[in-house]
Amino acid sequence: MKRISNKELKELIQLTTNQPISIIDVREEEEFTEGHITIAKNFPLSTLPETMAEIDREQPHYVICQHGVRSEHACSFLENYGYNVVSVSEGMSVWNGEASL
């Protein structure tokens, strides 16, 4: 499984202003609304089997959660279905980049 640190993700976001990257936040909706990366889309891990069809299988996605555990589970699950995913290892608990509240 591919992994990226919060620092690497922040740098990637800053470098790709012309073509925004896809960030999937797998925390529950309540957690997501408390604060998330501005360009992230919320696909809670608990509903991922039902909602994964809405995710573009060809595009790379960076998957984040609170501490890194759920993103690992989500990436493992999505990889089994052929998705191109990278787990953000540290999560929102230590995110210090741009965020929406």
Side-chain angles (χ1 to χ4, degrees):
M1 175 183 311
K2 297 177 206 167
R3 291 176 182 84
I4 190 171
S5 70
N6 280 15
K7 180 181 178 188
E8 291 169 313
L9 179 61
K10 185 178 176 183
E11 290 170 359
L12 188 60
I13 291 169
Q14 292 170 344
L15 291 174
T16 56
T17 55
N18 294 343
Q19 296 178 347
I21 63 172
S22 173
I23 300 173
I24 297 174
D25 191 320
V26 294
R27 296 176 299 153
E28 294 301 314
E29 187 176 338
E30 299 81 30
E31 295 171 286
F32 184 77
T33 58
E34 289 175 5
H36 58 273
I37 298 171
T38 307
I39 61 174
K41 295 180 182 163
N42 188 219
F43 287 92
L45 180 61
S46 62
T47 63
L48 202 52
E50 296 85 26
T51 59
M52 70 180 185
E54 300 171 31
I55 301 171
D56 181 355
R57 193 180 305 256
E58 303 302 318
Q59 179 180 3
H61 304 281
Y62 296 88
V63 182
I64 195 165
C65 64
Q66 190 65 20
H67 300 286
V69 177
R70 286 178 281 182
S71 64
E72 293 273 327
H73 290 299
C75 284
S76 179
F77 175 77
L78 290 169
E79 280 180 338
N80 286 334
Y81 289 94
Y83 288 85
N84 182 357
V85 290
V86 177
S87 180
V88 181
S89 58
E90 299 156 315
M92 291 300 295
S93 65
V94 293
W95 180 256
N96 65 357
E98 184 178 336
S100 293
L101 298 176

XYZ file of all heavy atoms in Angstrom:
806
model
N 0.843 -1.186 0.000
C 0.000 0.000 0.000
C 0.881 1.240 0.000
O 1.861 1.322 0.722
C -0.898 -0.020 1.235
C -1.728 1.218 1.385
S -2.732 1.243 2.888
C -3.504 -0.344 2.844
N 0.489 2.205 -0.813
C 1.220 3.471 -0.877
C 0.799 4.347 0.295
O -0.368 4.371 0.673
C 0.915 4.189 -2.181
C 1.344 3.443 -3.415
C 0.924 4.227 -4.641
C 0.730 3.318 -5.815
N 0.049 3.971 -6.909
N 1.783 5.082 0.831
C 1.514 5.999 1.938
C 2.189 7.340 1.664
O 3.199 7.401 0.980
C 2.039 5.423 3.245
C 1.271 4.215 3.720
C 1.909 3.616 4.979
N 1.209 2.431 5.406
C 1.426 1.214 4.930
N 2.336 1.026 4.010
N 0.745 0.187 5.384
N 1.616 8.384 2.255
C 2.174 9.727 2.143
C 1.989 10.402 3.499
O 1.018 10.140 4.208
C 1.469 10.514 1.006
C 2.180 11.814 0.687
C 0.008 10.750 1.323
C 1.654 12.520 -0.561
N 2.923 11.253 3.872
C 2.807 11.978 5.135
C 1.942 13.224 4.948
O 1.703 13.662 3.821
C 4.195 12.391 5.642
O 4.728 13.403 4.810
N 1.518 13.804 6.041
C 0.765 15.064 5.973
C 1.593 16.144 5.282
O 1.074 16.905 4.472
C 0.388 15.541 7.378
C -0.812 14.833 7.940
O -1.232 13.801 7.434
N -1.360 15.369 9.012
N 2.881 16.197 5.605
C 3.760 17.209 5.008
C 3.822 17.023 3.494
O 3.737 17.997 2.738
C 5.157 17.109 5.616
C 6.129 18.118 5.064
C 7.506 17.970 5.672
C 8.443 18.980 5.032
N 9.822 18.770 5.427
N 3.963 15.783 3.040
C 4.027 15.515 1.605
C 2.712 15.873 0.919
O 2.703 16.420 -0.182
C 4.361 14.044 1.356
C 5.775 13.679 1.760
C 6.013 12.185 1.768
O 5.173 11.437 2.321
O 7.044 11.766 1.211
N 1.582 15.566 1.576
C 0.278 15.906 1.006
C 0.108 17.419 0.911
O -0.347 17.940 -0.109
C -0.865 15.304 1.825
C -2.268 15.614 1.316
C -2.480 15.069 -0.099
C -3.325 15.069 2.268
N 0.500 18.126 1.940
C 0.405 19.589 1.932
C 1.229 20.171 0.781
O 0.756 21.057 0.059
C 0.885 20.139 3.277
C 0.730 21.627 3.426
C 1.181 22.065 4.812
C 1.122 23.560 4.964
N 1.610 24.003 6.271
N 2.442 19.659 0.579
C 3.289 20.124 -0.521
C 2.656 19.804 -1.871
O 2.684 20.620 -2.791
C 4.674 19.487 -0.418
C 5.485 19.998 0.745
C 6.756 19.202 1.007
O 7.021 18.203 0.292
O 7.496 19.578 1.939
N 2.068 18.627 -1.980
C 1.409 18.220 -3.221
C 0.217 19.130 -3.534
O 0.029 19.544 -4.678
C 0.954 16.761 -3.115
C 0.413 16.115 -4.365
C 1.447 16.111 -5.476
C -0.021 14.690 -4.053
N -0.556 19.480 -2.532
C -1.700 20.386 -2.717
C -1.204 21.740 -3.228
O -1.778 22.318 -4.142
C -2.495 20.550 -1.403
C -3.219 19.249 -1.051
C -3.502 21.707 -1.516
C -3.809 19.232 0.356
N -0.130 22.236 -2.647
C 0.413 23.534 -3.037
C 0.985 23.518 -4.449
O 0.932 24.513 -5.152
C 1.479 23.975 -2.039
C 0.910 24.300 -0.679
C 1.979 24.507 0.386
O 3.137 24.138 0.222
N 1.569 25.095 1.506
N 1.511 22.385 -4.877
C 2.126 22.277 -6.204
C 1.119 22.058 -7.322
O 1.425 22.304 -8.479
C 3.133 21.122 -6.221
C 4.391 21.328 -5.397
C 5.230 20.047 -5.400
C 5.208 22.494 -5.930
N -0.064 21.587 -7.014
C -1.034 21.221 -8.051
C -2.207 22.177 -8.093
O -3.355 21.761 -8.066
C -1.525 19.776 -7.852
O -2.075 19.654 -6.531
C -0.420 18.776 -8.034
N -1.937 23.455 -8.170
C -3.015 24.443 -8.193
C -3.800 24.422 -9.503
O -4.974 24.767 -9.522
C -2.466 25.864 -7.946
O -1.438 26.117 -8.895
C -1.934 26.012 -6.534
N -3.173 24.017 -10.605
C -3.875 23.982 -11.892
C -4.829 22.797 -11.990
O -5.892 22.899 -12.589
C -2.876 23.929 -13.050
C -2.064 25.196 -13.158
O -2.431 26.219 -12.600
N -0.959 25.127 -13.865
N -4.434 21.675 -11.453
C -5.264 20.472 -11.481
C -5.386 19.951 -10.062
O -4.494 19.250 -9.581
C -4.648 19.406 -12.381
C -4.565 19.799 -13.821
C -3.899 18.702 -14.645
O -3.312 17.779 -14.139
N -4.018 18.836 -15.956
N -6.458 20.304 -9.369
C -6.605 19.874 -7.978
C -6.547 18.348 -7.853
O -7.000 17.625 -8.724
C -7.975 20.394 -7.572
C -8.387 21.356 -8.624
C -7.588 21.053 -9.849
N -5.949 17.911 -6.768
C -5.879 16.482 -6.514
C -7.150 16.026 -5.788
O -7.889 16.846 -5.246
C -4.629 16.124 -5.699
C -4.663 16.778 -4.322
C -3.371 16.512 -6.455
C -3.565 16.303 -3.408
N -7.370 14.739 -5.778
C -8.545 14.184 -5.110
C -8.161 13.694 -3.720
O -7.290 12.833 -3.574
C -9.117 13.028 -5.922
O -10.148 12.387 -5.195
N -8.827 14.257 -2.727
C -8.625 13.825 -1.339
C -9.957 13.276 -0.833
O -10.988 13.944 -0.917
C -8.148 14.989 -0.448
C -6.829 15.535 -0.974
C -8.031 14.533 1.001
C -6.346 16.781 -0.284
N -9.904 12.063 -0.330
C -11.085 11.415 0.232
C -10.909 11.345 1.739
O -9.949 10.759 2.235
C -11.284 10.008 -0.358
C -11.546 10.098 -1.863
C -12.407 9.275 0.361
C -11.607 8.754 -2.556
N -11.834 11.939 2.462
C -11.837 11.922 3.921
C -12.819 10.842 4.351
O -14.010 10.932 4.062
C -12.265 13.296 4.448
C -12.060 13.464 5.935
O -12.327 12.502 6.694
O -11.675 14.570 6.355
N -12.324 9.800 5.032
C -13.185 8.665 5.387
C -13.710 8.736 6.823
O -14.253 7.766 7.333
C -12.478 7.308 5.131
C -12.242 7.103 3.650
C -11.177 7.176 5.911
N -13.575 9.898 7.448
C -14.165 10.067 8.783
C -15.685 10.191 8.650
O -16.202 10.472 7.572
C -13.600 11.317 9.466
C -12.105 11.211 9.723
C -11.541 12.484 10.306
N -11.739 13.590 9.374
C -11.842 14.864 9.731
N -11.768 15.214 10.996
N -12.011 15.796 8.817
N -16.379 10.010 9.747
C -17.834 10.152 9.741
C -18.212 11.605 9.471
O -17.418 12.519 9.687
C -18.430 9.667 11.071
C -18.251 8.179 11.312
C -18.876 7.314 10.226
O -20.027 7.557 9.826
O -18.202 6.362 9.781
N -19.425 11.805 9.002
C -19.886 13.139 8.594
C -19.719 14.177 9.701
O -19.318 15.316 9.440
C -21.350 13.070 8.153
C -21.859 14.351 7.561
C -23.289 14.241 7.047
O -23.754 13.118 6.768
O -23.928 15.293 6.936
N -20.008 13.798 10.942
C -19.885 14.741 12.060
C -18.436 15.205 12.231
O -18.173 16.380 12.490
C -20.377 14.103 13.371
C -21.828 13.675 13.363
C -22.039 12.316 12.677
O -21.134 11.448 12.707
O -23.113 12.138 12.080
N -17.498 14.272 12.100
C -16.079 14.621 12.207
C -15.660 15.527 11.055
O -14.920 16.493 11.249
C -15.217 13.354 12.166
C -15.404 12.422 13.338
C -14.680 11.115 13.100
O -15.160 10.292 12.291
O -13.613 10.923 13.725
N -16.130 15.204 9.874
C -15.798 15.971 8.675
C -16.273 17.417 8.804
O -15.547 18.349 8.473
C -16.437 15.293 7.459
C -16.099 15.921 6.137
C -14.872 15.698 5.540
C -17.028 16.704 5.462
C -14.561 16.258 4.304
C -16.736 17.260 4.229
C -15.491 17.038 3.650
N -17.496 17.613 9.316
C -18.029 18.970 9.433
C -17.319 19.789 10.506
O -17.356 21.010 10.469
C -19.549 18.968 9.710
O -19.813 18.232 10.901
C -20.309 18.364 8.551
N -16.641 19.114 11.435
C -15.888 19.833 12.466
C -14.608 20.448 11.917
O -13.993 21.289 12.555
C -15.564 18.900 13.632
C -16.779 18.532 14.450
C -16.461 17.510 15.534
O -15.275 17.152 15.719
O -17.407 17.066 16.182
N -14.196 20.019 10.728
C -13.004 20.558 10.084
C -12.407 19.545 9.140
O -12.293 18.376 9.481
N -12.078 19.986 7.936
C -11.526 19.092 6.914
C -10.685 19.893 5.931
O -10.766 21.116 5.880
C -12.648 18.354 6.172
C -13.632 19.273 5.511
N -14.716 19.776 6.175
C -13.670 19.802 4.264
C -15.404 20.565 5.362
N -14.775 20.606 4.192
N -9.881 19.191 5.161
C -9.106 19.827 4.107
C -10.101 20.380 3.095
O -11.045 19.693 2.701
C -8.141 18.822 3.460
C -7.149 18.319 4.507
C -7.408 19.461 2.275
C -6.286 17.172 4.048
N -9.915 21.616 2.696
C -10.873 22.341 1.871
C -11.340 21.558 0.647
O -12.529 21.527 0.349
C -10.271 23.692 1.430
O -9.815 24.385 2.583
C -11.289 24.535 0.699
N -10.428 20.917 -0.058
C -10.799 20.237 -1.305
C -11.226 18.781 -1.098
O -11.556 18.089 -2.060
C -9.654 20.304 -2.340
C -8.396 19.623 -1.816
C -9.400 21.742 -2.762
C -7.269 19.517 -2.847
N -11.240 18.314 0.146
C -11.584 16.915 0.420
C -13.079 16.645 0.235
O -13.919 17.518 0.456
C -11.183 16.549 1.844
N -13.367 15.417 -0.166
C -14.743 14.939 -0.258
C -14.926 13.875 0.813
O -14.024 13.080 1.068
C -15.025 14.355 -1.637
C -14.946 15.401 -2.717
C -15.213 14.817 -4.062
C -15.075 15.915 -5.114
N -14.931 15.389 -6.446
N -16.103 13.864 1.417
C -16.371 12.946 2.517
C -17.031 11.660 2.027
O -18.112 11.689 1.446
C -17.260 13.658 3.548
C -17.438 12.878 4.826
O -18.509 12.859 5.384
N -16.397 12.260 5.324
N -16.345 10.553 2.247
C -16.875 9.213 1.993
C -16.593 8.397 3.245
O -15.546 7.740 3.342
C -16.192 8.562 0.782
C -16.600 9.120 -0.541
C -15.900 10.162 -1.121
C -17.692 8.593 -1.223
C -16.265 10.683 -2.353
C -18.071 9.103 -2.458
C -17.355 10.144 -3.022
N -17.483 8.448 4.253
C -17.227 7.734 5.508
C -16.925 6.254 5.274
O -17.550 5.607 4.431
C -18.524 7.912 6.292
C -19.128 9.164 5.744
C -18.757 9.161 4.283
N -15.950 5.747 6.012
C -15.578 4.346 5.895
C -16.788 3.441 6.103
O -16.940 2.436 5.417
C -14.470 4.013 6.905
C -13.961 2.579 6.908
C -13.363 2.198 5.554
C -12.935 2.376 8.012
N -17.679 3.830 7.006
C -18.849 3.003 7.311
C -19.809 2.864 6.130
O -20.595 1.918 6.080
C -19.606 3.566 8.519
O -20.088 4.870 8.234
N -19.754 3.777 5.164
C -20.650 3.714 4.007
C -19.904 3.461 2.696
O -20.520 3.463 1.634
C -21.468 5.022 3.868
O -20.562 6.106 3.626
C -22.306 5.293 5.108
N -18.609 3.261 2.773
C -17.786 3.127 1.568
C -18.244 2.013 0.619
O -18.274 2.231 -0.593
C -16.323 2.943 1.962
C -15.273 3.294 0.921
C -15.466 4.691 0.351
C -13.890 3.169 1.531
N -18.640 0.851 1.120
C -19.109 -0.176 0.174
C -20.300 0.284 -0.678
O -20.414 -0.097 -1.845
C -19.501 -1.345 1.079
C -18.647 -1.169 2.286
C -18.559 0.330 2.477
N -21.151 1.125 -0.118
C -22.316 1.614 -0.848
C -22.011 2.825 -1.719
O -22.712 3.080 -2.690
C -23.454 1.987 0.125
C -24.026 0.834 0.911
C -23.233 0.531 2.174
O -22.570 1.431 2.728
O -23.263 -0.638 2.615
N -20.989 3.600 -1.376
C -20.729 4.859 -2.074
C -19.510 4.836 -2.989
O -19.289 5.789 -3.733
C -20.550 6.012 -1.063
O -19.454 5.707 -0.191
C -21.821 6.231 -0.252
N -18.745 3.766 -2.977
C -17.500 3.752 -3.752
C -17.724 3.893 -5.252
O -16.825 4.351 -5.963
C -16.680 2.501 -3.452
C -17.243 1.229 -3.973
S -16.134 -0.119 -3.526
C -16.945 -1.454 -4.383
N -18.907 3.568 -5.745
C -19.193 3.723 -7.177
C -19.133 5.190 -7.605
O -18.947 5.486 -8.782
C -20.555 3.126 -7.508
N -19.271 6.119 -6.662
C -19.204 7.551 -6.951
C -17.761 8.049 -7.100
O -17.533 9.187 -7.493
C -19.892 8.341 -5.837
C -21.351 8.000 -5.657
C -21.944 8.650 -4.409
O -21.488 9.756 -4.042
O -22.842 8.049 -3.807
N -16.800 7.202 -6.787
C -15.390 7.568 -6.827
C -14.796 7.117 -8.157
O -14.969 5.965 -8.562
C -14.633 6.918 -5.651
C -15.232 7.361 -4.311
C -13.151 7.260 -5.723
C -14.697 6.597 -3.114
N -14.101 8.018 -8.832
C -13.461 7.717 -10.110
C -12.356 6.681 -9.894
O -11.398 6.919 -9.157
C -12.874 9.002 -10.698
C -12.197 8.812 -12.046
O -12.074 7.666 -12.519
O -11.787 9.828 -12.617
N -12.485 5.552 -10.531
C -11.536 4.448 -10.351
C -10.166 4.753 -10.969
O -9.144 4.241 -10.535
C -12.114 3.181 -10.957
C -11.389 1.928 -10.571
C -12.028 0.722 -11.210
N -13.435 0.627 -10.914
C -13.959 -0.220 -10.048
N -13.180 -1.042 -9.390
N -15.257 -0.255 -9.849
N -10.123 5.591 -11.997
C -8.879 5.853 -12.718
C -8.002 6.916 -12.067
O -6.789 6.881 -12.178
C -9.200 6.279 -14.163
C -10.025 5.273 -14.928
C -9.367 3.901 -15.013
O -8.149 3.840 -15.240
O -10.070 2.890 -14.847
N -8.610 7.882 -11.410
C -7.881 8.999 -10.824
C -7.202 8.579 -9.519
O -7.773 7.822 -8.742
C -8.862 10.141 -10.547
C -8.225 11.341 -9.926
C -9.230 12.450 -9.670
O -10.413 12.308 -9.914
N -8.743 13.557 -9.161
N -6.000 9.080 -9.242
C -5.394 8.805 -7.935
C -6.126 9.577 -6.835
O -6.548 10.720 -7.043
C -3.954 9.299 -8.082
C -3.869 10.034 -9.356
C -5.121 9.817 -10.127
N -6.278 8.941 -5.686
C -6.963 9.547 -4.545
C -6.078 9.430 -3.307
O -5.466 8.386 -3.075
C -8.294 8.840 -4.264
C -9.213 8.804 -5.433
N -9.975 9.885 -5.808
C -9.476 7.821 -6.327
C -10.687 9.561 -6.883
N -10.397 8.316 -7.213
N -6.052 10.493 -2.516
C -5.335 10.504 -1.256
C -6.387 10.376 -0.162
O -7.308 11.179 -0.085
C -4.514 11.790 -1.126
C -3.458 11.833 -2.205
C -3.745 12.374 -3.462
C -2.213 11.267 -1.993
C -2.800 12.366 -4.471
C -1.260 11.255 -3.009
C -1.563 11.802 -4.243
O -0.629 11.772 -5.242
N -6.251 9.341 0.660
C -7.280 8.989 1.635
C -6.795 9.368 3.030
O -5.715 8.960 3.464
C -7.611 7.485 1.563
C -8.720 7.141 2.548
C -8.014 7.091 0.135
N -7.634 10.149 3.734
C -7.266 10.646 5.060
C -8.385 10.368 6.051
O -9.560 10.272 5.679
C -6.919 12.164 4.999
C -6.199 12.620 6.266
C -8.154 13.004 4.694
C -5.519 13.976 6.136
N -8.001 10.230 7.326
C -8.973 10.086 8.413
C -8.450 10.902 9.596
O -7.737 11.883 9.393
C -9.180 8.609 8.759
S -7.701 7.791 9.399
N -8.760 10.510 10.806
C -8.326 11.273 11.972
C -6.871 10.975 12.356
O -6.091 11.873 12.607
C -9.252 11.005 13.160
C -9.035 11.921 14.340
C -9.369 13.380 14.051
O -10.089 13.712 13.119
N -8.821 14.270 14.856
N -6.515 9.675 12.408
C -5.172 9.291 12.870
C -4.419 8.396 11.890
O -3.259 8.100 12.112
C -5.258 8.565 14.215
C -5.860 9.381 15.299
N -5.196 10.424 15.906
C -7.081 9.332 15.883
C -5.980 10.972 16.818
N -7.124 10.330 16.820
N -5.056 7.902 10.846
C -4.392 7.056 9.868
C -4.879 5.621 9.808
O -4.572 4.901 8.864
N -5.639 5.187 10.804
C -6.100 3.788 10.840
C -7.211 3.549 9.827
O -7.143 2.608 9.023
C -6.559 3.400 12.266
C -7.113 1.989 12.283
C -5.408 3.547 13.250
N -8.238 4.389 9.837
C -9.350 4.195 8.895
C -8.925 4.398 7.455
O -9.424 3.722 6.549
C -10.524 5.126 9.247
C -11.287 4.663 10.481
C -12.394 5.620 10.837
N -11.832 6.781 11.536
C -12.539 7.776 12.018
N -13.846 7.809 11.855
N -11.957 8.779 12.648
N -7.980 5.312 7.229
C -7.514 5.506 5.854
C -6.805 4.251 5.357
O -6.927 3.888 4.186
C -6.619 6.741 5.740
O -5.440 6.598 6.497
N -6.073 3.566 6.227
C -5.422 2.306 5.850
C -6.472 1.262 5.477
O -6.335 0.562 4.470
C -4.560 1.780 7.005
C -3.372 2.644 7.323
C -2.147 2.312 6.492
O -1.956 1.136 6.139
O -1.380 3.251 6.210
N -7.525 1.153 6.284
C -8.602 0.197 5.992
C -9.291 0.547 4.677
O -9.568 -0.333 3.860
C -9.636 0.164 7.125
C -9.130 -0.449 8.391
N -8.692 -1.748 8.495
C -8.982 0.083 9.622
C -8.305 -1.994 9.722
N -8.460 -0.888 10.438
N -9.572 1.830 4.484
C -10.256 2.266 3.259
C -9.390 1.990 2.031
O -9.894 1.511 1.011
C -10.591 3.763 3.350
N -8.107 2.272 2.126
C -7.217 2.025 0.994
C -7.140 0.538 0.672
O -7.185 0.149 -0.502
C -5.829 2.582 1.276
S -5.719 4.370 1.112
N -7.025 -0.275 1.684
C -6.984 -1.725 1.464
C -8.257 -2.191 0.763
O -8.204 -2.964 -0.198
C -6.803 -2.435 2.804
O -6.791 -3.820 2.632
N -9.388 -1.712 1.238
C -10.680 -2.073 0.650
C -10.757 -1.612 -0.808
O -11.093 -2.393 -1.704
C -11.814 -1.445 1.479
C -13.174 -1.649 0.896
C -13.833 -2.860 1.010
C -13.810 -0.614 0.222
C -15.092 -3.048 0.457
C -15.062 -0.784 -0.334
C -15.711 -2.011 -0.211
N -10.447 -0.337 -1.055
C -10.556 0.219 -2.403
C -9.548 -0.401 -3.373
O -9.867 -0.615 -4.544
C -10.407 1.737 -2.362
C -11.572 2.488 -1.714
C -11.206 3.959 -1.482
C -12.840 2.365 -2.542
N -8.356 -0.699 -2.888
C -7.355 -1.353 -3.741
C -7.861 -2.698 -4.258
O -7.586 -3.079 -5.388
C -6.041 -1.547 -2.993
C -5.196 -0.309 -2.928
C -3.891 -0.523 -2.176
O -3.783 -1.471 -1.360
O -2.974 0.274 -2.406
N -8.607 -3.409 -3.417
C -9.178 -4.701 -3.829
C -10.135 -4.560 -4.999
O -10.399 -5.537 -5.696
C -9.881 -5.390 -2.655
C -8.907 -5.954 -1.654
O -7.776 -6.278 -1.987
N -9.341 -6.060 -0.416
N -10.671 -3.367 -5.203
C -11.598 -3.105 -6.305
C -10.928 -2.316 -7.437
O -11.610 -1.783 -8.303
C -12.836 -2.375 -5.798
C -13.720 -3.277 -4.969
C -13.591 -3.324 -3.579
C -14.653 -4.113 -5.569
C -14.382 -4.171 -2.814
C -15.446 -4.965 -4.821
C -15.306 -4.984 -3.446
O -16.087 -5.830 -2.690
N -9.630 -2.212 -7.400
C -8.893 -1.596 -8.496
C -8.728 -0.092 -8.438
O -8.347 0.524 -9.436
N -8.985 0.525 -7.295
C -8.825 1.971 -7.164
C -7.364 2.327 -6.928
O -6.618 1.575 -6.300
C -9.683 2.515 -6.008
C -11.153 2.523 -6.308
C -11.927 1.390 -6.097
C -11.774 3.666 -6.800
C -13.289 1.394 -6.375
C -13.129 3.679 -7.072
C -13.880 2.541 -6.859
O -15.222 2.547 -7.126
N -6.980 3.503 -7.417
C -5.637 4.034 -7.245
C -5.653 4.947 -6.021
O -6.095 6.095 -6.103
C -5.233 4.804 -8.511
C -3.833 5.349 -8.450
O -3.125 5.221 -7.460
N -3.426 5.994 -9.533
N -5.212 4.433 -4.871
C -5.318 5.173 -3.616
C -3.985 5.216 -2.869
O -3.160 4.321 -2.998
C -6.400 4.562 -2.690
C -7.797 4.811 -3.244
C -6.183 3.068 -2.488
N -3.829 6.291 -2.090
C -2.652 6.493 -1.255
C -3.156 6.885 0.130
O -3.981 7.793 0.259
C -1.749 7.619 -1.821
C -0.560 7.871 -0.916
C -1.315 7.296 -3.241
N -2.671 6.211 1.149
C -3.090 6.512 2.519
C -2.262 7.656 3.088
O -1.036 7.661 2.985
C -2.921 5.265 3.400
O -3.325 5.541 4.715
N -2.947 8.628 3.705
C -2.268 9.724 4.400
C -2.035 9.228 5.825
O -2.978 9.043 6.596
C -3.101 11.021 4.374
C -2.349 12.138 5.086
C -3.427 11.410 2.942
N -0.781 8.989 6.154
C -0.448 8.225 7.354
C -0.722 8.910 8.690
O -0.981 8.240 9.677
C 1.013 7.787 7.296
O 1.861 8.895 7.184
N -0.702 10.212 8.752
C -0.837 10.870 10.055
C -2.247 11.356 10.361
O -2.647 11.414 11.510
C 0.141 12.038 10.138
C 1.571 11.562 10.013
C 2.495 12.638 9.515
O 2.144 13.343 8.554
O 3.576 12.764 10.097
N -2.989 11.747 9.372
C -4.379 12.119 9.568
C -4.624 13.548 10.021
O -3.710 14.342 10.225
N -5.899 13.840 10.180
C -6.335 15.196 10.511
C -5.972 15.614 11.931
O -5.947 16.796 12.237
C -7.850 15.324 10.308
C -8.290 15.264 8.847
S -7.566 16.567 7.806
C -8.297 18.031 8.522
N -5.674 14.672 12.796
C -5.332 15.037 14.176
C -4.090 15.920 14.244
O -3.926 16.681 15.199
C -5.144 13.785 15.028
O -4.029 13.044 14.577
N -3.227 15.811 13.221
C -2.018 16.649 13.210
C -1.928 17.493 11.942
O -0.856 18.025 11.632
C -0.747 15.783 13.380
C -0.693 15.170 14.759
C -0.636 14.728 12.307
N -3.018 17.639 11.218
C -3.013 18.450 10.002
C -2.802 19.899 10.351
O -3.478 20.457 11.209
C -4.332 18.277 9.248
C -4.386 19.085 7.986
C -5.070 20.249 7.802
C -3.734 18.810 6.752
N -4.882 20.716 6.518
C -4.058 19.846 5.853
C -2.897 17.791 6.315
C -3.582 19.890 4.546
C -2.427 17.832 5.019
C -2.773 18.873 4.140
N -1.862 20.559 9.677
C -1.623 21.977 9.939
C -1.705 22.810 8.665
O -1.183 23.908 8.606
C -0.280 22.186 10.631
C 0.905 21.803 9.759
O 0.737 21.314 8.639
N 2.102 22.013 10.249
N -2.354 22.260 7.660
C -2.533 22.984 6.406
C -3.890 23.660 6.352
O -4.593 23.777 7.348
N -4.257 24.082 5.168
C -5.534 24.752 4.943
C -6.688 23.798 5.271
O -6.657 22.629 4.922
C -5.639 25.201 3.494
C -6.889 25.997 3.181
C -6.917 26.448 1.732
O -5.853 26.566 1.104
O -8.034 26.676 1.259
N -7.690 24.307 5.956
C -8.845 23.487 6.318
C -10.098 24.344 6.355
O -10.040 25.555 6.541
C -8.629 22.837 7.677
N -11.228 23.691 6.162
C -12.541 24.344 6.271
C -13.160 23.942 7.597
O -13.092 22.780 8.000
C -13.461 23.892 5.149
O -12.998 24.358 3.921
N -13.772 24.886 8.249
C -14.468 24.597 9.507
C -15.944 24.806 9.335
O -16.396 25.538 8.527
C -13.939 25.491 10.629
C -12.465 25.315 10.957
C -12.032 26.300 12.007
C -12.161 23.909 11.412
